[in-house]
Structures are given as structure tokens and as C-alpha cells.
Amino acid sequence: MEYKLDLDTIKDKFNFDSSIRHNPKIPVEILPYKATFKDEQFNFKEVVGEFLRLVGQKKISSEVNPEQLVETVLKSIEFRDINQKNEFKQMIKTLFIDENNQLFLFHPQTLYYINTVEKENRRLGEFLYSVLWNGRATWEISKEEHQTDDLMGSLIFKALPELKSEEIQSQKFAVLLPEISELFAIDFAWLSTKKDLFTQQFEKLLAYYYFFYITQMSRKIETLFAKHEKSISPIYFTFEEEERLSKTRVSYEYGWKNIERTINQMFTHVNFLKMLNLTVEQSGGIYFYQDISEIIRTSSNEEIYELERSVEKLILQYQEALTDVKWNQMNLNSEQYDSSILNKLLLLFNMIDYQFNNSSRSSRYKDFKAWFTHFCQRTFLKSRGRSGKMLILDTDYLLFLTKVIIKDDPKIRLKKLFEQFEIRGIIYDRDTQVAIIEYFEKLNLLEKKSDSGDAIYVKAFL
């Protein structure tokens, strides 16, 4: 397969002739973020609604307005007097409208009716649909199958806007880690059979797999053109029940601190990959670093020579287009590979990263990663005094993920449980394992067949 950069298209898309436009649109995107971040726009519940509507290929005929919903229910009932109507109205609001003036999630189908107001949340839902659902068949939450016997719930359902079918959209984002989408499919299939658990906890599953995908992606792309040995590289978490957490712990050095470094360069990777994917022969997908490395390895000397000249020209054009950067202060010697063309590509990557950190564009660099780091701060990232920020699994998440792993089995070996956490990207050091075991003992979830650690089981629980 011949691989040729389309320099004219790169120049046009990145607007080399004027003020460089980083992160231009391409047919298949890599990440859903923009280079401007506003924390008030982020709402993961909105992402859940968008994701499930895409999975079910559903569209709401109109947004759910809680006030109108209550009025529609009231119109369907005859009341003896105004006092009775007002009392019933208050009862509906208490039972079915939450403190944020949103429909309370009392049934799986209500997840379809979560309004997705911000387009950034809609875009994140589209991203997760692409990379986690990964082209699987449409899956619908069946209203008949899960129909509520509750009269009040039935009245709410009748008042909700109509759900319409919507055509399957084309793949908008590239899938780098199909092995994660395979795991997600297994966990999703099980959770979808548990009506109440699915309704109340699906957001937890989607949030964790979002974290899982992005962190694994960052680990994979940080190696650039070097071979990435592991498909999944578990990240160290601690547990909120632990009292002593210090910088000497393995979980500190190889937890968030390790991930943050790779997350910091996300915007550089996205722009570099977009340049590398503007080619003469468009593949219809995305070439990641390993794909390009393999193509180069099997290319003829003539093809490599031509590609190398193109990269040299691209480096010069990029350098000339950014006149506000003091390039003479950058170390332009990038010798990491035994291949001249890969070293030139590495130089281009370093130049993109350098200019973001040494120009007025540094704010975009920080804002791009903020979409993910802000999410982490709301879910798994907590400050532990002098130890700084650490990835911490709270008791709710520990129990939920344990349920997901055990599924319908009556129990699981403790050793296997920890192995299954690793498969899902979570690893614990010895101290955290002890804290988790003590917590399980406190809840009477452990079953010991003998004093051997291999003969300890964690029992299934509701």
C-alpha cells in the first residue's frame, strides 16, 4: 500500500497561508473535543441520553418540558375540585421531577427522554457511540417488555413526547481500541437485563468506559511509532476507604501522575494525526501511528524517499507559517528511531507540541485536554493533601463494577475478581487490595474455603 501525504490539502485545511487553524474538520474524527472549554456546558447525564438514543436509533419528537408534562397528565384526569387537582399536581412533581427540574429516571425508557441541550454533550455521545458501540446492531429499550404496572408511571408514559425511529448515522469517529468496545458490549448486554440497575446505574457504566477508552488511547498513542506491546495497560487506582495514601505508593507514581503526562499532549496528537491522514489516497478511515509505521516498513526505497521529501517540505511550511514562534530556541534534533523518515515525523510532532507551549496558543492546548480532565475531577480524581491528585474508586463504584464482573454467577474467586478489574483497565497495589478485602469483609461478602488466598471468594449481592 502506497502512502502519500497530500501537502496541498494539509496546507488548505490547516490554513498555512494565513493564521494556522489547528484541529480542522476531517471526514472521520479522532476525539470530540474543541479547543475552547466551559465547565458549565459539561453534563454527563446529557451524554447518556444521546448515547442511548443513537444505540436505539430513536429521536424524541420534542424536548421533555417538565411543566408541560405535568399539565398533560393533569388534562387526562377529571378532578372533583381545584384542591384535589393541586394536591395531585404536587404529588406528580414530588415523584417524577427531580431537584434539577428533570424527569426522574424511574424506568429504562425514561433514559431516552434525557434532554441533550449542549452540542458538546451531543458530540461526546456520538463519540462514545462510535468507539464503544462500534457499528453493532440497533438495540432498543422495549416499552412493552419493561412496562410499569404503576398507574402514576403509566400516566407519565402516556404524556411523554413520541419516540420516532431515526436512520443509522455514518461512523463519525475512528475506533482505535476495538477490544474495549468488545468488553463494553459484554457488560452492557448483562446490565441491560437488569431493569432497575440499568435505569439507575447505566450512567456509571458509560462514564467508566469513557475514562477507560481515553486513558488507554493516551497510553497507546504516547509511544508514537514504537510498537505498543499491550492491548490494555491497567492504571493504578486507590480506594476511598484507605486512610494512608502517600507519594511513595506505586499507585501514586503509576496512577494519575502517569496518565496526566500523556493527557497533556492530546491536542498535539490530534493535530499530528490529522496531518498524517490527509493523504492522496483517502482510506475512508484513520491511520494511527502503528498503521503508518507498518506501511513504511513494507514500502519500497523509492516510496520512502518520496515520503521523506514530503515530510521535509511540510516541516518547512509549518515552521514558516508560525512566525510568532522562536524556532531557534527549540532542539530540532529528533533521533529516536533507526529510520530517517520516522525521525523526521517525530520532529514534526515535537514542533507542533513546542509551538503550543511557546505561543499564545497555549490556552487552546490546555482547554482541549480540560474536557477530559474536568470529567475526571468529577468522577475518579480526588485531591489527597500533600499527595496531590490521585485516582480513587469510591465504594459505590467498587460495588457496581464488582456486580458487573460477577454478573449472574453466585460468587467469584477474589483473585479472579482482581484479574477482571485489570482486564477493564484498573489495577490495585497491595495496600489497596488489603483495604478492599477488609471492606468486603465488613459487608460480609467474603467466603473463605481455607486460609489460602486462592480459596477466597466474593459472593454475589443485590
Side-chain angles (χ1 to χ4, degrees):
M1 182 191 296
E2 194 170 2
Y3 173 75
K4 289 183 178 181
L5 292 176
D6 188 339
L7 296 184
D8 289 337
T9 303
I10 293 172
K11 187 177 179 181
D12 177 58
K13 286 279 187 181
F14 281 84
N15 199 27
F16 279 13
D17 290 334
S18 182
S19 175
I20 278 195
R21 178 178 57 242
H22 287 97
N23 199 25
K25 288 184 179 180
I26 61 174
V28 180
E29 292 284 349
I30 298 161
L31 285 171
Y33 315 130
K34 289 186 176 180
T36 50
F37 173 73
K38 293 180 181 177
D39 60 357
E40 66 270 16
Q41 291 177 320
F42 182 80
N43 183 330
F44 201 76
K45 196 172 286 296
E46 289 189 12
V47 177
V48 170
E50 184 66 17
F51 177 88
L52 286 173
R53 286 190 292 272
L54 288 168
V55 166
Q57 298 304 316
K58 297 294 183 186
K59 186 178 182 180
I60 313 173
S61 55
S62 62
E63 284 192 355
V64 177
N65 182 310
E67 293 297 327
Q68 289 179 3
L69 184 65
V70 171
E71 289 303 318
T72 302
V73 171
L74 293 175
K75 285 176 184 177
S76 67
I77 303 169
E78 290 186 12
F79 297 95
R80 287 196 303 268
D81 53 56
I82 191 69
N83 289 333
Q84 188 184 49
K85 183 177 181 179
N86 288 336
E87 286 175 11
F88 192 78
K89 181 178 181 178
Q90 190 55 47
M91 189 189 304
I92 293 173
K93 282 189 170 184
T94 302
L95 291 173
F96 296 104
I97 309 299
D98 67 18
E99 65 277 8
N100 298 314
N101 200 34
Q102 294 287 331
L103 177 66
F104 179 72
L105 303 175
F106 64 92
H107 180 284
Q109 271 236 333
T110 57
L111 295 166
Y112 281 147
Y113 293 93
I114 299 171
N115 293 331
T116 305
V117 178
E118 298 290 347
K119 61 182 179 182
E120 285 77 9
N121 296 324
R122 184 173 296 111
R123 190 167 162 83
L124 180 52
E126 291 171 347
F127 169 75
L128 293 176
Y129 170 71
S130 290
V131 302
L132 297 180
W133 200 251
N134 195 14
R136 288 182 176 81
T138 301
W139 178 86
E140 296 181 41
I141 301 170
S142 170
K143 189 173 181 179
E144 290 73 27
E145 188 178 318
H146 297 298
Q147 187 62 60
T148 177
D149 296 325
D150 175 56
L151 176 61
M152 295 280 277
S154 296
L155 288 170
I156 291 290
F157 265 122
K158 288 177 183 176
L160 284 168
E162 182 188 357
L163 281 173
K164 296 181 178 180
S165 295
E166 190 171 46
E167 286 185 14
I168 295 174
Q169 61 171 223
S170 59
Q171 192 85 349
K172 290 187 176 181
F173 294 90
V175 181
L176 175 59
L177 298 158
E179 58 270 39
I180 291 181
S181 64
E182 292 293 333
L183 275 171
F184 176 78
I186 292 167
D187 292 343
F188 180 94
W190 174 80
L191 188 63
S192 66
T193 64
K194 312 297 175 186
K195 176 183 172 182
D196 293 335
L197 194 63
F198 184 84
T199 306
Q200 300 305 322
Q201 303 287 1
F202 176 69
E203 183 177 345
K204 266 191 170 61
L205 185 74
L206 191 64
Y208 177 71
Y209 269 91
Y210 170 39
F211 172 87
F212 185 20
Y213 188 91
I214 296 295
T215 52
Q216 290 300 314
M217 178 181 178
S218 74
R219 297 293 287 271
K220 191 165 186 175
I221 61 178
E222 76 168 330
T223 61
L224 289 168
F225 301 103
K227 191 172 182 181
H228 188 81
E229 298 295 336
K230 295 181 180 178
S231 57
I232 300 296
S233 303
I235 299 161
Y236 277 92
F237 269 75
T238 53
F239 179 45
E240 73 169 347
E241 291 287 298
E242 293 181 74
E243 293 181 4
R244 298 178 65 185
L245 293 172
S246 68
K247 290 184 178 181
T248 59
R249 291 276 295 275
V250 175
S251 53
Y252 172 78
E253 190 65 33
Y254 296 98
W256 178 250
K257 183 182 175 183
N258 189 258
I259 285 297
E260 189 175 25
R261 184 190 69 255
T262 63
I263 296 297
N264 282 343
Q265 291 187 314
M266 277 176 119
F267 201 34
T268 300
H269 281 291
V270 165
N271 281 283
F272 185 45
L273 281 166
K274 285 190 174 186
M275 283 186 187
L276 298 185
N277 277 278
L278 293 170
T279 58
V280 174
E281 293 290 334
Q282 292 294 327
S283 65
I286 286 284
Y287 292 121
F288 284 100
Y289 300 128
Q290 291 297 306
D291 304 317
I292 295 167
S293 179
E294 182 61 24
I295 291 170
I296 290 172
R297 191 182 68 80
T298 57
S299 295
S300 67
N301 290 336
E302 186 180 338
E303 289 167 345
I304 292 173
Y305 177 81
E306 191 176 331
L307 179 60
E308 196 163 348
R309 298 293 80 78
S310 294
V311 174
E312 287 171 352
K313 193 178 289 186
L314 178 56
I315 286 171
L316 187 60
Q317 289 177 345
Y318 187 73
Q319 198 172 10
E320 289 174 347
L322 292 168
T323 55
D324 62 335
V325 179
K326 296 177 180 178
W327 295 111
N328 60 338
Q329 295 180 11
M330 177 189 168
N331 179 11
L332 297 175
N333 295 318
S334 298
E335 299 292 328
Q336 185 173 312
Y337 304 102
D338 57 7
S339 162
S340 175
I341 177 62
L342 291 183
N343 282 325
K344 282 188 170 62
L345 286 169
L346 176 61
L347 172 58
L348 177 57
F349 173 83
N350 288 336
M351 287 175 68
I352 297 170
D353 198 62
Y354 179 82
Q355 65 81 29
F356 277 132
N357 286 290
N358 294 276
S359 71
S360 59
R361 290 172 292 282
S362 61
S363 60
R364 298 177 193 173
Y365 189 77
K366 292 173 184 174
D367 271 10
F368 191 84
K369 69 172 183 177
W371 287 104
F372 182 66
T373 56
H374 179 75
F375 160 80
C376 291
Q377 285 165 359
R378 288 188 172 193
T379 48
F380 306 110
L381 203 55
K382 293 181 175 63
S383 181
R384 295 303 294 259
R386 291 181 180 178
S387 298
K389 293 174 182 175
M390 299 182 80
L391 289 171
I392 296 179
L393 210 63
D394 64 23
T395 54
D396 286 346
Y397 245 113
L398 174 72
L399 293 175
F400 171 68
L401 290 176
T402 300
K403 284 180 189 176
V404 168
I405 289 168
I406 296 176
K407 293 184 169 60
D408 294 322
D409 291 332
K411 59 188 175 183
I412 188 173
R413 277 184 184 269
L414 180 66
K415 184 180 178 182
K416 187 179 179 182
L417 175 66
F418 287 139
E419 287 171 355
Q420 287 296 313
F421 268 107
E422 283 193 41
I423 288 170
R424 287 164 178 78
I426 297 175
I427 192 169
Y428 308 109
D429 66 16
R430 180 62 188 163
D431 290 336
T432 299
Q433 286 189 24
V434 169
I436 289 171
I437 291 167
E438 289 175 352
Y439 181 68
F440 282 153
E441 278 188 307
K442 197 189 299 182
L443 297 181
N444 196 29
L445 294 178
L446 292 187
E447 181 181 303
K448 297 182 180 180
K449 297 291 185 180
S450 71
D451 292 334
S452 167
D454 287 341
I456 299 176
Y457 291 81
V458 179
K459 296 180 285 188
F461 53 96
L462 296 175

